[in-house]
Amino acid sequence: MGVTVESDVWEPNPALCLFFFISCCLSIYYLPNSSRSSAIFGDAPSSSFIRFQRSFLLLYSLSSVMEGLLAVFGEYELAYHGIGREQMVISLCIGYSAALFVGTFLGMLSDLIGQRKVSLLFCLLHLLVAIWRRVTGHPSVWLASICLSLASTIFFFNFETWMVIEHDKLEHGQDSVNDMFWLMTFVESASFIGSQVLGNWLIGGHEKTSLLAPSSAVVIMAFGALAYVSRGWKEDPKSIILKDYQTKFRTYILGDKKVWLLSWTQTTIHFSIAVFWITWAPTFVADGREVLLGLVYPCVLGAKMLGSTAFSWFFSVTLSLRTEDCLVYACLVMGFVTSIVAFDYQDVEILLMLFCTFHACVGLVLPSLARLRTMYVPNELRGGMMSLSIAPSNALMLFLLIQRGFYQNIENSTIIAMAALGLFSAAGCMYMLKRLGKQPHQNWHKL
């Protein structure tokens, strides 16, 4: 008599994605300030400001899709070509080493030579990796890890800095800048989901013939982004010299306690997100069941999109909530959620709920931190401050990858617990920042 073994494959309820989609639409449609809503989506009279918003968000979404395609399907390509676990760990270590020893200084370079040239470098890095994969037909671990890590670092600080500087040039108020902060988080998450859909459609289940199709798509998008940045982006020449920049950086960044608190908070947020994306897959399959991770991915990003739309609600005129207070509560929630996961919780449904809660908080925290940077950091030093703030996170991730990947001296649950402790410390930093910031916030737009 034959024995039939039924495979237990778990997948999230499709209604969850529909819930996030409808919730995001309703949250945006019923924004507390209807005048700002109309200004964002183009109902206001045409102006240079509206044109800038549309062109910027188009370029940003295009860059986000490139980030998503080569990050997600780059790992899939490595696995398809038989790259083993040890080589995967090596590629991650190479990437974090490049981000630590080179990417840390790219923000300062952006402040000195301008965001336009660094954006060109971002496009060229993606173009180089995509062309290499398309021509050789086989991924290069060293080349891809270094280039994509540097590109991700540029993506983190350069577009935000450019957007804030352009808003100052157009002399628009802080409300419009705040709207762009949450829109950037929203568009980034939506573009990552779109990159997954595009990649699945390009591959179409025929790996041997279509595996290189995502790289071809990146080549086309990179050329389009290069054309826009080189011809459609007008930037004023930088007049600051290195000696003056160093003096200002020591005074306004290294010598300001409030910026130190803000930087540590950014470090812990960046570290917790990095820990999540490295450990989420093994955490989901820890109970032995097969999980369709490709369906979990859009759920957590949908939660992040919903969290970003909550930014305008929390900082509306009716609520009048201070940014530091919001970050204290959000970091505490993220810390508690991460602590539960660290205790080796294996129920898949509960894990999905916890991960969605975590990313909803991330969607709220990222634009909130950007808002605080606008209050405390001069625009001409913003890129350097942002790239320097994530250096401790990259160093710690590199150390933990070596300890976990090569020596097996630490468990995933311990790494997640460290992320939880960092988030609790971030809540304390935001509380201290509120105490130090009782005086009126500095306005660097007037310097």
Side-chain angles (χ1 to χ4, degrees):
M1 186 173 99
V3 178
T4 302
V5 179
E6 295 183 1
S7 60
D8 185 12
V9 180
W10 184 89
E11 61 181 72
N13 192 327
L16 185 60
C17 293
L18 182 62
F19 165 77
F20 285 127
F21 176 76
I22 296 176
S23 299
C24 289
C25 292
L26 292 176
S27 180
I28 295 172
Y29 184 78
Y30 291 106
L31 282 178
N33 193 331
S34 58
S35 62
R36 272 195 290 163
S37 179
S38 63
I40 294 172
F41 295 103
D43 295 333
S46 178
S47 65
S48 58
F49 177 70
I50 297 298
R51 288 194 297 271
F52 164 73
Q53 282 188 321
R54 290 172 175 172
S55 59
F56 173 81
L57 289 176
L58 177 61
L59 176 62
Y60 190 71
S61 61
L62 193 65
S63 302
S64 300
V65 173
M66 288 192 293
E67 282 281 294
L69 275 175
L70 289 187
V72 176
F73 289 94
E75 295 179 3
Y76 173 76
E77 185 182 5
L78 291 175
Y80 177 80
H81 283 92
I83 303 298
R85 176 182 176 277
E86 185 174 342
Q87 290 177 296
M88 289 279 195
V89 174
I90 291 175
S91 69
L92 288 172
C93 291
I94 293 171
Y96 277 105
S97 298
L100 175 62
F101 296 109
V102 180
T104 301
F105 305 100
L106 288 178
M108 303 174 191
L109 181 66
S110 171
D111 292 333
L112 290 170
I113 68 175
Q115 289 72 45
R116 179 175 176 271
K117 294 178 181 178
V118 178
S119 294
L120 289 172
L121 175 61
F122 168 83
C123 299
L124 289 172
L125 288 171
H126 275 290
L127 183 62
L128 175 61
V129 174
I131 290 179
W132 179 272
R133 286 175 170 172
R134 188 64 196 177
V135 171
T136 63
H138 193 278
S140 172
V141 173
W142 280 79
L143 178 68
S145 299
I146 293 174
C147 291
L148 294 183
S149 294
L150 295 180
S152 296
T153 303
I154 294 172
F155 182 80
F156 166 68
F157 68 81
N158 201 62
F159 288 99
E160 180 185 311
T161 305
W162 171 39
M163 185 272 294
V164 173
I165 291 176
E166 288 297 318
H167 268 76
D168 279 356
K169 285 169 55 179
L170 296 171
E171 298 182 348
H172 282 267
Q174 185 63 34
D175 282 345
S176 61
V177 181
N178 293 335
D179 284 328
M180 287 297 291
F181 288 148
W182 74 260
L183 275 171
M184 288 174 64
T185 304
F186 185 91
V187 167
E188 176 191 353
S189 303
S191 299
F192 281 176
I193 297 175
S195 67
Q196 183 192 32
V197 175
L198 177 61
N200 287 330
W201 177 75
L202 290 173
I203 294 176
H206 304 287
E207 290 87 353
K208 292 184 178 180
T209 58
S210 305
L211 190 60
L212 297 178
S215 297
S216 301
V218 171
V219 170
I220 297 173
M221 288 185 285
F223 274 120
L226 279 171
Y228 173 78
V229 173
S230 60
R231 296 187 178 183
W233 182 351
K234 305 300 180 183
E235 183 179 50
D236 296 333
K238 295 290 182 178
S239 58
I240 188 171
I241 60 176
L242 180 60
K243 186 176 181 179
D244 293 338
Y245 181 83
Q246 291 174 337
T247 302
K248 288 185 176 182
F249 201 87
R250 284 194 297 266
T251 302
Y252 295 119
I253 305 300
L254 300 181
D256 193 335
K257 294 180 180 179
K258 294 182 288 244
V259 176
W260 277 90
L261 294 173
L262 183 58
S263 298
W264 178 251
T265 303
Q266 180 64 67
T267 294
T268 58
I269 297 298
H270 190 270
F271 175 70
S272 65
I273 294 174
V275 168
F276 170 83
W277 286 113
I278 288 179
T279 62
W280 75 288
T283 303
F284 257 113
V285 300
D287 68 346
R289 281 193 290 177
E290 182 180 351
V291 179
L292 297 180
L293 298 177
L295 298 180
V296 176
Y297 183 79
C299 290
V300 295
L301 290 179
K304 183 179 175 182
M305 293 169 64
L306 183 59
S308 68
T309 63
F311 177 81
S312 288
W313 287 87
F314 277 104
F315 301 112
S316 64
V317 178
T318 55
L319 292 178
S320 299
L321 184 67
R322 281 196 62 160
T323 311
E324 295 90 337
D325 290 327
C326 177
L327 283 168
V328 168
Y329 302 139
C331 289
L332 286 175
V333 172
M334 293 170 67
F336 282 119
V337 166
T338 310
S339 300
I340 297 174
V341 178
F343 279 103
D344 201 22
Y345 205 94
Q346 295 186 1
D347 188 88
V348 179
E349 289 80 6
I350 300 297
L351 278 176
L352 179 61
M353 182 184 69
L354 293 174
F355 287 163
C356 287
T357 303
F358 177 87
H359 273 78
C361 292
V362 169
L364 177 62
V365 164
L366 293 181
S368 301
L369 288 174
R371 187 184 189 191
L372 287 181
R373 281 192 287 268
T374 304
M375 294 177 179
Y376 292 112
V377 181
N379 288 341
E380 62 269 22
L381 307 176
R382 192 183 189 104
M385 178 267 176
M386 292 180 67
S387 63
L388 186 63
S389 68
I390 62 173
S393 170
N394 291 329
L396 183 56
M397 284 300 302
L398 178 61
F399 172 77
L400 293 176
L401 281 170
I402 294 174
Q403 293 297 313
R404 171 62 178 161
F406 295 109
Y407 300 108
Q408 304 294 320
N409 290 334
I410 192 170
E411 298 295 330
N412 285 345
S413 58
T414 306
I415 298 175
I416 298 173
M418 293 176 64
L421 291 175
L423 291 168
F424 288 133
S425 71
C429 288
M430 287 297 99
Y431 178 77
M432 294 174 61
L433 183 63
K434 178 185 176 181
R435 297 287 297 272
L436 292 174
K438 287 183 177 179
Q439 66 274 14
H441 290 309
Q442 300 159 338
N443 188 356
W444 295 112
H445 300 275
K446 296 181 181 179
L447 293 182

